[in-house]
Amino acid sequence: MNKLILSVIAAIIMCCVLLSCGSENLPAETDIVTAPVAEPAAIPGQDIRIVSINVAYDIQNMKKRGDLMVPLLLSYSPDSIGTQECGGYTDWVDIFREGLSGYERVGRVSNGALETSDHYSGNYIYYNAEKFECVDWQTIWVTTSPYGISSYKDAIFRTCTWAVLRDKSTGFKYVHINTHLAFENDEINEFQTTMIRDLAMRFEKLGVPVFITGDFNSSEGSTSYNIMTRRKVISDSKYLAEKTMSAGTFRGWDDRDLSGGSPIDFCFVTGERMDVQEYSVIDTFVDGIALSDHQGIFVHAACHDQTDSDTQAKSVSTDGVTVSEVSRRSYVYEFSFTQASDIELIHKYIAELVDNNGEVIATRTILSRQLDSDPPGVLYCTFFALVPGKKYNVRIYAVALDGTYSDPFTFEFVSKELE
């Protein structure tokens, strides 16, 4: 009996020794706890100063008007300026090119040109290029076919220019949308206002503050005004500003009293992404000269912090993209691809043709046309000057409205052999 007891005791001791030895090879509890995920880096918010002005393409007193207009605008130290009727003739373009030193311009006039001597209206955006770089921009026509020269019903050609501007030092981004809407009738104006509002909402979903300036040709309390402000995220900067005022903005060509009047020029903002410090109407009657038939608008806002786009999740993806071959020839390859599921936030696609060495040898840009009344579900792309019988790779990126790229959708093909 004593031997049996001793054997059991010995076995127990041996098990304890083995367990003790094994535990030396196990990691400490603190070694297997998952490390906390780093929070995305934040870009500090910053103050943005916006000016909007219908400069009137009427050429009367152009030289005098320009000599007074430029220093007036610069006195507000704007980060960007939304102009309307700037492209009717090249005079304003030339005046601003010379006078707005350090500023660059984006936009097209209503006949599709970058600038023209003909009688076409241009809603250009000028931005402080010493401080900001333009990530992306586009001029659209405020119609059911926004991506080509077009008019809506009886309205003359109306356009909208938008720009995504990024601070060169901090990476902070904001969007400036600038437009000039129709006065022909309320129905047209309401349609165009809805389109501008929807564009602003898409940018807002991407997390960047938006400033929407222009001559809206509608008054406070109108149906168009209510269309723009009925969404909680878009507000009239006039009623958000700590320092504000009330005055009309259409002056004609004389020194009439506009105090207390209703403006038809506005700066709407995505107010949840900023604190508006100041709103004011710019007096354009200077030294006895009417610089325009409109007053200008000035807005100063303190924008909130942003998540660093280099560390945050991709704004859009290529989920839903599928590719179909359309034509394969010795020197040409054409394919189609379906739009990604994030279409409302995608501005365009970038398709890259890559050789066996990983070198990009051709690039194509294909607009998503996401503002069309019926956006295309399938897009097309063609590459030329291929080497017969050679294997190529294609990378397709979806590019969000704010300029950020998705991860690529990739596929490969072999060009046709010579027959």
Side-chain angles (χ1 to χ4, degrees):
M1 178 67 67
N2 290 338
K3 287 183 179 181
L4 179 60
I5 293 174
L6 289 174
S7 297
V8 171
I9 292 173
I12 293 172
I13 293 173
M14 181 62 69
C15 289
C16 291
V17 171
L18 290 173
L19 289 172
S20 175
C21 293
S23 67
E24 293 177 358
N25 297 322
L26 292 176
E29 183 177 353
T30 55
D31 292 336
I32 60 174
V33 173
T34 303
V37 178
E39 290 292 326
I43 298 175
Q46 65 187 58
D47 286 6
I48 298 296
R49 302 167 71 88
I50 301 289
V51 163
S52 176
I53 180 68
N54 182 327
V55 295
Y57 54 63
D58 192 312
I59 62 174
Q60 64 177 319
N61 296 323
M62 182 66 75
K63 180 67 167 64
K64 289 182 179 179
R65 291 167 59 206
D67 289 344
L68 294 171
M69 179 71 81
V70 168
L72 176 63
L73 299 181
L74 290 177
S75 69
Y76 289 89
S77 301
D79 293 303
S80 57
I81 306 168
T83 63
Q84 302 92 47
E85 298 191 16
C86 190
Y89 293 93
T90 58
D91 301 79
W92 278 117
V93 173
D94 293 338
I95 288 168
F96 287 153
R97 181 183 288 119
E98 180 180 348
L100 294 178
S101 177
Y103 285 76
E104 292 186 4
R105 182 195 77 209
V106 295
R108 296 181 182 275
V109 292
S110 55
N111 71 342
L114 291 174
E115 58 184 74
T116 178
S117 59
D118 297 323
H119 195 75
Y120 292 96
S121 182
N123 301 316
Y124 293 125
I125 294 173
Y126 290 83
Y127 65 95
N128 183 347
E130 296 178 353
K131 183 178 180 182
F132 291 92
E133 61 181 345
C134 185
V135 174
D136 208 347
W137 70 271
Q138 187 175 40
T139 293
I140 58 174
W141 281 256
V142 195
T143 72
T144 53
S145 301
Y147 299 98
I149 303 168
S150 57
S151 61
Y152 180 64
K153 295 190 174 181
D154 296 325
I156 61 174
F157 299 116
R158 296 288 179 177
T159 65
C160 166
T161 296
W162 59 260
V164 180
L165 302 173
R166 178 168 56 202
D167 189 293
K168 294 179 179 179
S169 299
T170 67
F172 177 91
K173 288 192 292 190
Y174 75 94
V175 175
H176 190 161
I177 298 173
N178 182 56
T179 192
H180 186 182
L181 302 187
F183 61 84
E184 284 80 359
N185 66 56
D186 291 343
E187 179 188 351
I188 295 172
N189 190 281
E190 291 160 14
F191 167 85
Q192 294 176 336
T193 301
T194 301
M195 187 173 170
I196 299 298
R197 180 204 64 192
D198 291 348
L199 174 62
M201 292 290 294
R202 296 177 191 212
F203 278 111
E204 200 281 334
K205 288 180 181 179
L206 291 167
V208 287
V210 184
F211 298 83
I212 312 145
T213 63
D215 176 358
F216 285 82
N217 274 314
S218 58
S219 301
E220 293 180 18
S222 66
T223 301
S224 290
Y225 182 89
N226 292 336
I227 285 172
M228 182 63 76
T229 58
R230 72 172 48 144
R231 298 292 182 92
K232 181 181 178 182
V233 297
I234 299 179
S235 303
D236 185 347
S237 60
K238 172 182 176 180
Y239 294 103
L240 295 180
E242 295 180 10
K243 178 183 178 182
T244 191
M245 64 181 294
S246 181
T249 58
F250 182 74
R251 70 151 52 259
W253 292 99
D254 54 35
D255 190 20
R256 67 185 67 178
D257 182 13
L258 298 175
S259 58
S262 176
I264 63 171
D265 303 83
F266 297 97
C267 178
F268 298 103
V269 297
T270 49
E272 294 181 347
R273 299 196 180 277
M274 66 184 76
D275 298 312
V276 181
Q277 307 294 316
E278 181 180 355
Y279 164 92
S280 62
V281 176
I282 300 171
D283 186 356
T284 56
F285 197 86
V286 179
D287 293 345
I289 298 176
L291 308 188
S292 174
D293 57 350
H294 283 250
Q295 306 266 62
I297 296 291
F298 168 69
V299 170
H300 172 204
C303 295
H304 301 164
D305 292 354
Q306 294 180 334
T307 302
D308 189 339
S309 60
D310 292 332
T311 59
Q312 71 177 350
K314 299 290 184 181
S315 297
V316 292
S317 72
T318 53
D319 291 349
V321 170
T322 60
V323 171
S324 298
E325 182 177 300
V326 175
S327 175
R328 185 203 307 252
R329 287 166 282 169
S330 300
Y331 303 101
V332 179
Y333 186 76
E334 181 181 10
F335 64 93
S336 65
F337 62 96
T338 55
Q339 295 255 31
S341 54
D342 295 326
I343 180 173
E344 71 164 3
L345 302 180
I346 295 173
H347 174 211
K348 59 190 175 185
Y349 298 89
I350 302 295
E352 296 179 337
L353 183 67
V354 184
D355 65 13
N356 292 334
N357 298 320
E359 181 181 353
V360 177
I361 56 178
T363 302
R364 299 285 183 268
T365 300
I366 307 101
L367 291 177
S368 73
R369 304 180 67 92
Q370 38 84 21
L371 286 176
D372 274 347
S373 56
D374 185 19
V378 176
L379 301 172
Y380 294 84
C381 180
T382 304
F383 289 112
F384 302 93
L386 306 179
V387 177
K390 184 174 181 178
K391 184 174 75 173
Y392 294 92
N393 290 290
V394 176
R395 295 194 293 245
I396 302 175
Y397 298 89
V399 184
L401 286 163
D402 67 349
T404 54
Y405 278 54
S406 71
D407 291 326
F409 176 94
T410 62
F411 69 95
E412 64 180 38
F413 70 92
V414 177
S415 58
K416 189 175 180 180
E417 296 277 4
L418 284 175
E419 295 181 351

